[in-house]
Amino acid sequence: MSGSMLYGGDEIGALVFDVGHYSLRVGYAQEDSPKAEIPAVVGVVDEPSNSTSSIRSSDAMDVDEKKPDTTSPSSTKKYYIDTTTLHVPRKGMEVISYMKDGMIEDWDLFEKVLDYTYSKCIQSESEYHPVLMSEAPWNVRSKRERLTELMFEKYNVPAFFLAKNAVLAAFANGRATALVVDSGATHTSAVPVQDGYVLTQAIVKSPLGGDYISMQCKQHLQDNDIEIVPSYLVGSKEVVKEREKARWTKRKNLPEVTTSWHSYEVKRVVQDFQASVLQVLETPFDEKTASAMPAAHYEFPSGYHQDFGAERFRIPEALFDPGVVAAGNTMLGVGHIATTSVGMCDVDARPALYASVVVTGGNSFIQGFPDRLGRDLSARVPASVRLKTMSANGCAERRFGAWIGGSILASVGSFQQMWVSSQEYDEGGKGQIERKCP
Amino acid sequence: MSWQDYVDKQLLASKCVTKAAIVGLDGNVWAKSEGFELGKEELTKLVQGFEKQDLLTSSGVTLSGTRYIYLSGTDRVVRAKLGKVGVHCMKTQQAVVVSLYEDPIQPQQAASVVEKLGEYLVSCGF
């Protein structure tokens, strides 16, 4: 059981995978940003082919091998992974996500993505690199065991470790004890971390995340008769005056695309709009204050452009006060989520948690998010409590917060004895993961 | 092996725990390492905590008068920590294996040792 890992010193070569709903971040430990960010959706084309290509490959093998090929449902699936292949319009390509509720749902797709990562991004064999993977704090035991099994059995990794992404985000901000408020694509959660361990009883999460805001934006644009045309459709466009109807011509020779892919492309346009235009007010939303703030100008791929005023504050307000957008909505705003979570913790732990509130996640990028959160918390918390929010200022640092924490963790000397080695896996089975990665 | 042997030769000898004890589900101490004083009320509360985690989340785990912050657990395992000292307990059929570990021992090391012993005891019917 002693740390017989020979991974000390400068040459570690560990890989860090940060699994999320929006993307999979992957790279080497000790680096300050991931090598690749692969969207967490895969394009799948179900080709009902005569399997001519697969028969050809089995030509060299036994005659028996051919039989299973022809008797099995003769449709091969082709997978299109990563931005270069995913964003090209293709006939019949469905867009499927392998994530659900913060955890891996579709294992086959995930395997395909991992294969792609190893061959194209890392360009090395999986058996040479220890792997540190992040997981949601509420990940279930069966999935963790399945993931461990997959990594050791299929990829033959020499060592493996599963870390909660909240803990990694805290480390990335230089803290072992913190309240991690992670606002991502599909949900926003508050996870208290004590000395590097997640207080699982006190995790609070809400489904209000980047995707929800995208939906609200899309609704708003549709209500205002703004047609969202994804860039793949636009062949050419003309310059129009502000708020004038766009004049563009459709690209020729477009293949017939599936609805799921088209909606994915539309969503990307909305996400770009969301990232450039939306802002959160420092005070709770008020029509007058919002109208007094400067407006932001945005041009869509179709050529349509206009200034956006009060609505660019109203939409993200939903994160902090869900009642604004849909009256009677009982979901919790971000400030509420944070205070509820701390309220569920040990009384002694609370001051330490309030003293380091870490804001992370891609959705927290909306301008004004951390300041507003800080203000909301100070309003709810008794005046005597010392409150400090921290959020990395750089673009990469907040979006890749958990990945950077993983990179830091995997390089730390004292971590080297914490890996689950393939030897330990052979001896103890997949149950070891529960023990070694609490 | 006597219960004291289990504590000395299995738990303490592994150097993965600094203090250990094996106690019955009623709170009676079957064996313990030197200087590890455990009150009966502390232990009965700990035993109840395995079933109802809410008891431990807000008030923590108290052992030898020190109150540790409850981290996580299942119906068989309880983990707690305070500064440099951590607690790892595992419940078997008739007893609870309680252990304390300090820096630089990693929680995983203490966990492996405690759980291995716990599983062995369960297989013996204890």
Side-chain angles (χ1 to χ4, degrees), chain A residues 107-306:
Chain A
W107 293 91
D108 292 327
L109 278 187
F110 183 65
E111 254 179 74
K112 293 273 175 296
V113 177
L114 278 185
D115 289 337
Y116 168 85
T117 318
Y118 274 113
S119 59
K120 293 280 175 346
C121 306
I122 297 166
Q123 297 181 342
S124 172
E125 293 300 321
S126 54
E127 63 215 12
Y128 299 130
H129 304 278
V131 169
L132 170 66
M133 225 182 242
S134 76
E135 58 168 1
W138 48 84
N139 204 11
V140 290
R141 186 178 174 149
S142 52
K143 288 192 199 255
R144 310 171 90 206
E145 290 184 353
R146 184 147 182 201
L147 183 59
T148 316
E149 211 177 3
L150 178 70
M151 294 311 288
F152 277 117
E153 310 267 332
K154 181 167 178 211
Y155 294 100
N156 296 314
V157 295
F160 185 63
F161 194 83
L162 269 178
K164 309 248 180 310
N165 55 26
V167 175
L168 297 180
F171 285 163
N173 281 284
R175 289 270 189 288
T177 301
L179 176 69
V180 176
V181 177
D182 181 351
S183 189
T186 40
H187 52 254
T188 299
S189 59
V191 180
V193 176
Q194 175 77 26
D195 270 332
Y197 294 98
V198 170
L199 304 184
T200 39
Q201 313 297 335
I203 296 176
V204 181
K205 63 181 168 109
S206 125
L208 299 179
D211 283 352
Y212 175 75
I213 299 293
S214 302
M215 242 173 41
Q216 294 291 320
C217 285
K218 194 165 156 194
Q219 185 68 36
H220 174 84
L221 293 172
Q222 276 177 334
D223 289 344
N224 285 336
D225 255 342
I226 300 173
E227 200 191 340
I228 307 168
V229 182
S231 17
Y232 80 90
L233 278 179
V234 178
S236 70
K237 58 187 178 188
E238 293 169 24
V239 175
V240 291
K241 289 214 260 298
E242 195 175 312
R243 291 183 197 257
E244 206 186 295
K245 192 153 160 53
R247 285 201 294 267
W248 56 277
T249 44
K250 190 165 167 187
R251 199 178 282 185
K252 301 199 185 13
N253 301 325
L254 276 179
E256 198 185 299
V257 292
T258 56
T259 25
S260 67
W261 191 81
H262 178 84
S263 343
Y264 177 68
E265 288 297 315
V266 166
K267 188 169 158 191
R268 280 209 312 143
V269 174
V270 176
Q271 279 172 343
D272 185 56
F273 166 77
Q274 184 181 334
S276 335
V277 168
L278 298 189
Q279 193 172 335
V280 179
L281 279 179
E282 239 198 74
T283 52
F285 181 76
D286 169 41
E287 198 70 48
K288 281 218 309 249
T289 335
S291 327
M293 300 285 279
H297 185 254
Y298 186 75
E299 179 176 333
F300 288 92
S302 58
Y304 176 81
H305 62 111
Q306 72 160 81

Side-chain angles (χ1 to χ4, degrees), chain A residues 1 141 161 194-195 197-202 344-350 414 417-418 427 432 434-438, chain B residues 53 56-60 67-74 79 81-83 104 106-109 111-112 115-116 119:
Chain A
M1 205 44 89
R141 186 178 174 149
F161 194 83
Q194 175 77 26
D195 270 332
Y197 294 98
V198 170
L199 304 184
T200 39
Q201 313 297 335
M344 295 187 355
C345 291
D346 198 313
V347 183
D348 294 339
R350 289 179 205 176
S414 57
Q417 46 176 314
M418 287 167 59
E427 285 170 20
Q432 281 280 12
E434 195 66 29
R435 241 178 251 163
K436 288 211 96 182
C437 311
Chain B
Q53 314 257 320
L56 302 179
T57 37
S58 41
S59 49
R67 191 174 143 197
Y68 298 90
I69 299 178
Y70 174 77
L71 292 178
S72 61
T74 61
R79 299 181 197 96
K81 205 161 200 277
L82 185 74
Q106 296 295 332
Q108 290 82 359
Q109 291 170 285
S112 308
E115 291 185 22
K116 275 217 175 84
E119 277 162 15

Side-chain angles (χ1 to χ4, degrees), chain B residues 13 15 18 26-27 38 42 49 52 62 69-70 74 87 100 111 115:
Chain B
K15 301 254 184 283
T18 38
D26 50 4
L38 296 168
E42 292 175 346
K52 290 178 55 200
T62 321
I69 299 178
Y70 174 77
T74 61
V87 171
L100 237 76
E115 291 185 22

